[in-house]
Amino acid sequence: MSVYSPVLDQVTVPSDLRGLSKDQLRQLADELRQETINAVSVTGGHLGAGLGVVELTVALHYVFDTPRDRLIWDVGHQAYPHKVLTGRRDRIRTLRQGGGLSGFTKRSESEYDPFGAAHSSTSISAGLGMAVARDLSGGDNRVICVIGDGAMSAGMAYEAMNNAGARKGQLLVILNDNDMSIAPPVGALSRRLAKLVSSKSYQFLRGFGRGLAERLPRPLRRAAARAEEYTRGMLMGGTLFEELGFLYLGPIDGHDFDHLLPVLENIRDNGIGGPVLLHVVTEKGHGYAPAARSADKLHAVSRFDVVTGAQSKAQAAAPSYTKVFAEALVREAEADDRVVAITGAMPAGTGLDLFEKRFPDRMFDVGIAEQHAVTFAAGLATEGYKPFCAIYSTFLQRAYDQVIHDVALQKLPVRFAIDRAGLVGADGATHAGAFDMAYLGCLPGFVIMAAADEAELMHMVATAAAYDKGPIAFRYPRGEGVGVALPERGQVLPIGKGRVLREGKDVALLSVGTRLQPALAAAERLQMRGISCTVADARFVKPFDRDLVRRLAQSHHMLITLEEGSIGGFGSQVLDYLANNDLMRAGLSVRTLMLPDAFQDHDDPQKQYSDAGLNAADIVRIVETSLAKTA
């Protein structure tokens, strides 16, 4: 149910917003903040970052001509208020629900989302591409990139700024600094200077002075330019950005329209040549008391009570895989002081906050910098340490060259803990761990494990800690385990060996990862229909148990592989082995069950697995259909 919002009710799209008076913007922002809080209380999702940019969102759509002017949000989870103002208010309570709005910006969802940004630090590169396309086409629209919530910690942002700084075309980068990690607190002097430097008179004088300087001998010309840049740098900060070729403005208060609007209007109207970086300081979770009291400013929440902020979380039947991994790693670190942990801005998401409490000197959060994280781990491995690099499957994609060149090629024993392997429900395609078995499985010398349950995960942590011959990875899903009993400490598994949990004679179900439970359930149902099944857990994607695969292929009418990954993964490796070792005999039917060759939209996880054909009922149907065809 929507909140009382007489001003917001007048705004369906940003052109409506521009018809309001400036005096109405404060009330609009208050109503927009309450609407955002109310909507996320129903759906869950990212809350704190969006609340911090409410005023900035209003100001940008008020000053600029969106969607003609391109507005890119980075990371896209800041964009819930933006969605409300851009024709999606009537669907805002479908956020992250099946068939509803995405939790991130999405090109197919709205013309006001010119670029999808669910992974961070991409906006400046994309915005620069749009700006160059505009200039090549003779256009005059503006490009605005809002980058924040930690996204400026990634090297890609600086690569893009370095490239953009060499051009003269318009590009506005707004640094949403929501933890004051870059500059000192906003003061009256910095606000006045930002307004002054963006003003028409200053820009005229700056241009006039540069014109005069061009007439000077080259050494004096360079000295004059540096004097101007460093004088502003000393007064305002931002010398780094100036060195990259940007005009730096700020910092200014991102919650005060009296500060935001004049500077944005000056940037829009005063013909500032070249790229501009506007430093805006905001407070994550601003305007919502429960967020102010929360350590993470309610970054991501489940459904919650608006008044108290108390979240509605179902009672877990088993510990999460993430927690099991973290506790198992702590045990290994207690036994071996060479064990260290690395993550990229996700200490809580990967469970390494637990490791940090126990071993603060052996845990390294490197920020949103996965490439650096992997090569940093490689450096540690060269010196005899045992680095565990804990990164979500979908984020590890960002460091693929480093995985190949810096780790695999040099056979360095870096341990990769791959969280969020498989489908991830409400986070959708951008965060689904669909490809790691394929993109790691093709690399020589890589050992890859997939945990079928939380006890297996503990064994795989122990196995990785003990393995020193080269890179090793283990993957595990989001969410809670299946409730198996946990050992005090994991056992080291023999490399490349699977296990058989149920013996049969007709059909062999060979699972890797957490599709083992649906395989066991399917075997029970098939047994009731007179079909005898063997169920095996491969444990290893690479090297997989060739002796086990050979036996299953030779002693059953059908062999089915199951995995929570894309084509090119475990099933493809098994098929290659069967085909090249003359095991595809007459009378043997082989099926590979995997995620579909498509990006699956956000939805309930069970619905996603049903759509993928990986639940017990799907396995039963495929077995019966296939056997009927071969009868």
Side-chain angles (χ1 to χ4, degrees):
M1 185 176 180
S2 296
V3 298
Y4 176 68
S5 50
V7 179
L8 182 59
D9 290 346
Q10 301 176 46
V11 177
T12 302
V13 291
S15 58
D16 301 327
L17 165 63
R18 294 173 204 127
L20 300 176
S21 69
K22 290 184 179 180
D23 293 337
Q24 291 177 289
L25 297 185
R26 178 69 267 168
Q27 183 176 346
L28 175 65
D30 292 341
E31 294 174 6
L32 179 57
R33 178 168 283 109
Q34 291 307 311
E35 178 75 351
T36 303
I37 293 168
N38 187 275
V40 180
S41 76
V42 173
T43 66
H46 292 91
L47 181 63
L51 296 183
V53 296
V54 166
E55 289 81 8
L56 180 60
T57 304
V58 170
L60 287 170
H61 282 297
Y62 186 81
V63 171
F64 293 99
D65 184 21
T66 55
R68 182 174 178 272
D69 291 339
R70 311 294 193 240
L71 175 57
I72 306 171
W73 292 95
D74 180 9
V75 177
H77 63 231
Q78 301 176 95
Y80 294 2
H82 160 81
K83 292 188 182 226
V84 173
L85 294 180
T86 53
R88 288 170 276 183
R89 186 187 182 190
D90 61 340
R91 293 188 292 149
I92 198 64
R93 285 161 184 77
T94 69
L95 269 169
R96 297 161 50 87
Q97 313 299 304
L101 296 178
S102 169
F104 307 97
T105 51
K106 190 174 183 180
R107 280 175 52 81
S108 62
E109 190 176 286
S110 172
E111 64 179 335
Y112 291 92
D113 292 358
F115 199 76
H119 291 187
S120 80
S121 317
T122 59
S123 58
I124 306 175
S125 296
L128 179 59
M130 294 176 189
V132 169
R134 173 203 62 208
D135 296 342
L136 290 173
S137 302
D140 62 355
N141 64 295
R142 298 169 178 84
V143 179
I144 306 103
C145 309
V146 183
I147 183 167
D149 208 28
M152 280 295 284
S153 66
M156 183 177 177
Y158 297 94
E159 293 174 14
M161 292 187 73
N162 184 53
N163 188 193
R167 296 186 68 256
K168 296 300 182 185
Q170 180 278 331
L171 178 67
L172 172 58
V173 175
I174 297 176
L175 170 58
N176 171 29
D177 179 6
N178 60 14
D179 59 5
M180 296 187 180
S181 60
I182 296 176
V186 177
L189 178 60
S190 66
R191 292 196 297 269
R192 291 292 300 275
L193 285 170
K195 187 173 180 180
L196 170 64
V197 171
S198 63
S199 68
K200 184 175 293 185
S201 57
Y202 179 88
Q203 290 301 313
F204 172 79
L205 289 173
R206 190 185 193 208
F208 180 74
R210 286 185 169 180
L212 289 178
E214 288 296 323
R215 300 173 182 269
L216 298 174
R218 182 173 297 178
L220 292 178
R221 187 164 70 239
R222 288 177 176 171
R226 288 191 173 274
E228 192 262 349
E229 290 174 0
Y230 279 100
T231 298
R232 282 190 296 109
M234 289 173 64
L235 290 172
M236 299 176 62
T239 301
L240 168 64
F241 303 118
E242 295 280 355
E243 288 293 315
L244 290 171
F246 277 67
L247 171 65
Y248 173 85
L249 304 173
I252 64 171
D253 187 344
H255 301 296
D256 193 327
F257 287 114
D258 291 336
H259 302 157
L260 282 171
L261 294 177
V263 174
L264 290 174
E265 289 169 341
N266 281 342
I267 293 170
R268 180 194 64 190
D269 298 336
N270 293 339
I272 298 175
V276 176
L277 186 132
L278 174 61
H279 184 172
V280 174
V281 176
T282 64
E283 178 190 24
K284 195 168 182 174
H286 183 78
Y288 186 45
R293 296 192 296 266
S294 172
D296 68 349
K297 305 301 181 184
L298 296 185
H299 172 74
V301 295
S302 57
R303 297 177 182 181
F304 64 93
D305 179 87
V306 172
V307 176
T308 65
Q311 298 182 48
S312 302
K313 294 186 177 180
Q315 187 67 34
S320 71
Y321 282 98
T322 298
K323 184 178 181 182
V324 170
F325 155 69
E327 292 178 344
L329 187 60
V330 167
R331 291 189 181 95
E332 297 303 321
E334 289 171 341
D336 188 341
D337 60 10
R338 294 173 298 166
V339 171
V340 296
I342 303 161
T343 190
M346 299 297 292
T350 58
L352 291 185
D353 53 343
L354 300 178
F355 187 95
E356 185 174 27
K357 290 177 182 177
R358 181 70 177 81
F359 301 105
D361 295 334
R362 290 157 62 183
M363 205 293 260
F364 305 93
D365 179 359
V366 302
I368 304 176
E370 292 86 1
Q371 293 174 296
H372 163 61
V374 171
T375 305
F376 172 53
L380 282 161
T382 65
E383 297 297 320
Y385 277 82
K386 296 185 174 185
F388 279 76
C389 205
I391 302 177
Y392 292 3
S393 171
T394 185
F395 295 160
L396 187 58
Q397 294 163 186
R398 294 157 62 95
Y400 192 50
D401 180 63
Q402 286 68 33
V403 171
I404 296 173
H405 182 272
D406 300 337
V407 176
L409 187 64
Q410 302 187 82
K411 300 178 181 173
L412 291 172
V414 174
R415 289 86 175 162
F416 292 94
I418 304 177
D419 203 333
R420 274 39 171 201
L423 300 174
V424 291
D427 281 336
T430 58
H431 285 60
F435 307 111
D436 55 87
M437 286 188 286
Y439 70 65
L440 295 180
C442 63
L443 302 181
F446 231 102
V447 175
I448 308 166
M449 302 176 282
D453 56 48
E454 56 270 45
E456 284 291 294
L457 177 56
M458 292 187 67
H459 299 325
M460 290 175 183
V461 174
T463 304
Y467 187 77
D468 280 319
K469 295 181 180 179
I472 187 168
F474 50 96
R475 70 191 310 262
Y476 48 99
R478 179 180 187 172
E480 63 187 53
V482 300
V484 300
L486 297 178
E488 183 64 26
R489 185 179 172 190
Q491 299 176 350
V492 177
L493 302 174
I495 299 297
K497 292 298 179 183
R499 57 176 180 152
V500 175
L501 288 86
R502 177 183 180 129
E503 290 282 4
K505 58 184 177 61
D506 298 319
V507 176
L509 303 177
L510 178 59
S511 171
V512 67
T514 54
R515 288 299 92 189
L516 180 63
Q517 295 305 314
L520 289 167
E524 285 290 339
R525 297 185 195 181
L526 290 167
Q527 184 68 45
M528 293 168 55
R529 303 179 192 189
I531 301 172
S532 175
C533 293
T534 294
V535 179
D537 174 16
R539 278 179 164 162
F540 289 83
V541 178
K542 185 179 183 180
F544 62 84
D545 192 334
R546 283 157 172 71
D547 292 338
L548 174 60
V549 169
R550 178 183 291 273
R551 179 171 76 83
L552 296 177
Q554 291 176 335
S555 59
H556 294 79
H557 302 301
M558 177 179 289
L559 171 61
I560 296 179
T561 64
L562 299 99
E563 62 191 300
E564 299 174 57
S566 70
I567 189 170
F570 177 67
S572 298
Q573 298 249 7
V574 171
L575 277 176
D576 179 80
Y577 172 72
L578 294 173
N580 286 295
N581 289 275
D582 298 321
L583 294 172
M584 298 290 284
R585 59 180 174 78
L588 174 65
S589 179
V590 180
R591 298 288 184 273
T592 56
L593 303 189
M594 65 197 76
L595 295 179
D597 188 24
F599 292 106
Q600 289 184 258
D601 284 336
H602 53 281
D603 209 331
D604 175 81
Q606 286 307 310
K607 177 67 163 52
Q608 288 183 319
Y609 282 116
S610 178
D611 291 343
L614 289 174
N615 287 329
D618 304 303
I619 299 169
V620 170
R621 173 179 49 79
I622 289 168
V623 168
E624 291 185 327
T625 301
S626 298
L627 289 180
K629 290 179 179 179
T630 58

